[in-house]
Amino acid sequence: MAVTAGIKGRASCVVTADKTAKAVGSGALEVFATPMLAALVEEAAWTSIQPYLGEGEGSVGTRFETTHSTPTPVGMTVTAETEVTEVDGRRFVFSFTVSDEAGVIGRGTHERFLVQNEKFMQRCQRKLGTK
């Protein structure tokens, strides 16, 4: 594993009807949904560090803090930019900025943890046997 501070990521999407607050249940308006903003940030973050992880390793999101300050209408492109700001063992902290074509719409921090994919999924699947 060679994840270091300074690694940057980027992900973009066009706001479509299925990415609105109304469609995902986070509000009644047809504007870019905060849960979709979070998903875009996670995409930018995990894809930026994945090339630095070993075979069979991945990362999972464990914390997300944001300010989603301005609305984005359907049809605009939204871009999330992330940067690793801290590496503490298996924990990675990112800062992020999200913008649409008119400017910044959100900022915050995101945290991910390194996992062994197979072990992680086995632990997850064990939950099915506890019912």
Side-chain angles (χ1 to χ4, degrees), residues 32-35 37-38 41 64-72 78-80 94-100 103-110:
F32 189 55
T34 302
L37 180 146
V41 168
F64 189 85
E65 294 182 28
T66 191
T67 300
H68 188 175
S69 54
T70 57
T72 302
V78 176
T79 300
F94 299 79
S95 64
F96 67 83
T97 302
V98 181
S99 302
D100 63 21
V104 173
I105 65 167
R107 297 180 191 278
T109 59
H110 175 47

Side-chain angles (χ1 to χ4, degrees), residues 19-79:
K19 292 178 176 71
T20 64
K22 184 176 182 178
V24 302
S26 67
L29 300 175
E30 292 183 1
V31 296
F32 189 55
T34 302
M36 298 309 296
L37 180 146
L40 191 63
V41 168
E42 287 208 76
E43 178 185 352
W46 86 261
T47 59
S48 73
I49 63 171
Q50 188 62 40
Y52 301 95
L53 303 182
E55 189 172 329
E57 293 180 329
S59 67
V60 293
T62 55
R63 185 179 178 101
F64 189 85
E65 294 182 28
T66 191
T67 300
H68 188 175
S69 54
T70 57
T72 302
V74 170
M76 271 195 156
T77 298
V78 176
T79 300

